[in-house]
Amino acid sequence: MLEHLRSRWTKVMAPIARALLSAHVTPDMVTWAGTIGVVAVSLICFPHGWLWQGVLLLLVFIFSDSLDGIMARSSGRSSDWGAFLDSTLDRIADGAVMGGLALYYVDAGNNAWWAGLAIVTLVLGQVTSYTKARGESLGYEVNGGLAGRADRLLVSLLGAMLTGLGLDWGLPVCLVVLTVAGVITVAQRMTLVRHATTVARGRAAGESQA
């Protein structure tokens, strides 16, 4: 749902990207720095109950998440390695955010049920990304779905912010929304790949009979 905002955001971040390149900062450096920052903030702030503080710090890193890609494209350094590194570290960062929220309910939040649901949303988020990667590795285009990565981050951080500001229901409601949306998104992508494989199999059968 938020993917269409990427082009506008790119225009905003382009001057920052150019400045970093001028300072001899590479796209890979930005990728690593952003991931390390997200992991550190998520696993330090959230388990201690510093929810709204953690969200504000994470926004700094998350808003710069597209910087490495913009830098790579503008400098002509786009590569398969860069794309692979970015995608891999994104999974680590996403896992740290949801893992940190799960630990919040283990420690400061003291609620095993919500901790468990946070783990469920973590798994669904990882599976959502895997369905896209695996489908595309088989040669099929796997786009769309109810909740992409940007949507999941927005909802999870919104919930953490609300609960951190005293609205205890904020994070639990968002976890329920993420769980339902995650199930739907995985089902949508599985259906998409299933349809694509059926069409490809029918086409191949028709060609063999011709």
Side-chain angles (χ1 to χ4, degrees):
M1 288 184 286
L2 299 178
E3 298 300 323
H4 68 283
L5 296 177
R6 281 182 179 271
S7 59
R8 295 181 181 178
W9 184 244
T10 297
K11 295 179 180 179
V12 174
M13 301 300 289
I16 300 175
R18 289 193 294 269
L20 289 173
L21 288 169
S22 298
H24 304 291
V25 176
T26 68
D28 285 358
M29 289 179 185
V30 173
T31 303
W32 278 106
T35 301
I36 292 170
V38 169
V39 171
V41 170
S42 299
L43 299 184
I44 292 174
C45 291
F46 290 162
H48 285 86
W50 307 331
L51 296 183
W52 67 266
Q53 298 94 329
V55 170
L56 291 181
L57 289 173
L58 283 178
L59 289 177
V60 175
F61 296 105
I62 291 172
F63 283 154
S64 64
D65 181 59
S66 59
L67 260 179
D68 50 0
I70 298 172
M71 291 170 64
R73 289 189 295 272
S74 62
S75 63
R77 298 180 185 176
S78 295
S79 66
D80 290 343
W81 162 249
F84 173 81
L85 178 67
D86 185 60
S87 181
T88 301
L89 295 187
D90 278 350
R91 305 290 79 75
I92 295 174
D94 293 351
V97 171
M98 295 312 304
L101 293 176
L103 289 174
Y104 162 73
Y105 279 115
V106 170
D107 295 328
N110 192 29
N111 192 310
W113 288 103
W114 293 122
L117 193 61
I119 293 173
V120 170
T121 62
L122 188 161
V123 172
L124 287 170
Q126 299 292 333
V127 174
T128 296
S129 298
Y130 177 78
T131 55
K132 179 179 176 66
R134 181 57 175 155
E136 291 182 345
S137 74
L138 295 173
Y140 304 108
E141 187 173 345
V142 187
N143 291 319
L146 180 61
R149 180 174 186 257
D151 304 304
R152 296 194 302 271
L153 278 174
L154 174 63
V155 173
S156 60
L157 294 184
L158 175 61
M161 176 65 79
L162 291 174
T163 295
L165 293 176
L167 299 175
D168 292 341
W169 52 266
L171 185 53
V173 167
C174 287
L175 289 176
V176 171
V177 170
L178 285 170
T179 300
V180 174
V183 171
I184 293 174
T185 304
V186 170
Q188 286 176 315
R189 292 187 174 183
M190 290 179 68
T191 301
L192 183 64
V193 174
R194 173 62 176 171
H195 174 72
T197 58
T198 301
V199 171
R201 187 166 58 248
R203 185 181 298 116
E207 291 175 352
S208 65
Q209 295 174 0

